[in-house]
Amino acid sequence: MVPETLNAYIGLSAALFALGFLGVLVRRNTLVIFMCLELMLVASTLALVAFSRYNGTMEGNVFVFFILTVAAAEVAVGLAIIVALFRRTQTIRVDRLDTLKR
């Protein structure tokens, strides 16, 4: 991989991470926030793969494998929590979820 291509991948990764971070800060829907968090995770794995390919090693790819395994478990648990919150409060808006205050 030539350095210009590495810079492009890192720039794309930074842009995806910034977009996900902005989505977490701005949005109020828990599903959209969850998707933005996943976008941030994908951006970090893209950077790891780009650096791993640039250095000619496999360590980044191994980290990505573990990250994706943990992400699959995170999706299952996160969606279960969101469904349970929706069943209890009938809303998925973050600003209306105040069950921990009671």
Side-chain angles (χ1 to χ4, degrees), residues 10-77:
I10 298 304
L12 177 63
S13 175
L16 286 174
F17 192 88
L19 184 66
F21 186 70
L22 183 67
V24 168
L25 291 178
V26 172
R27 296 297 182 175
R28 297 289 175 235
N29 187 335
T30 54
L31 291 175
V32 175
I33 290 173
F34 194 65
M35 287 190 297
C36 289
L37 287 171
E38 292 296 322
L39 185 64
M40 292 168 60
L41 190 64
V42 167
S44 66
T45 58
L46 177 65
L48 279 172
V49 168
F51 280 123
S52 177
R53 182 157 170 103
Y54 178 73
N55 291 330
T57 61
M58 290 297 292
E59 284 88 6
N61 294 340
V62 172
F63 277 120
V64 167
F65 176 72
F66 287 120
I67 288 170
L68 292 179
T69 304
V70 170
E74 174 198 355
V75 166
V77 171

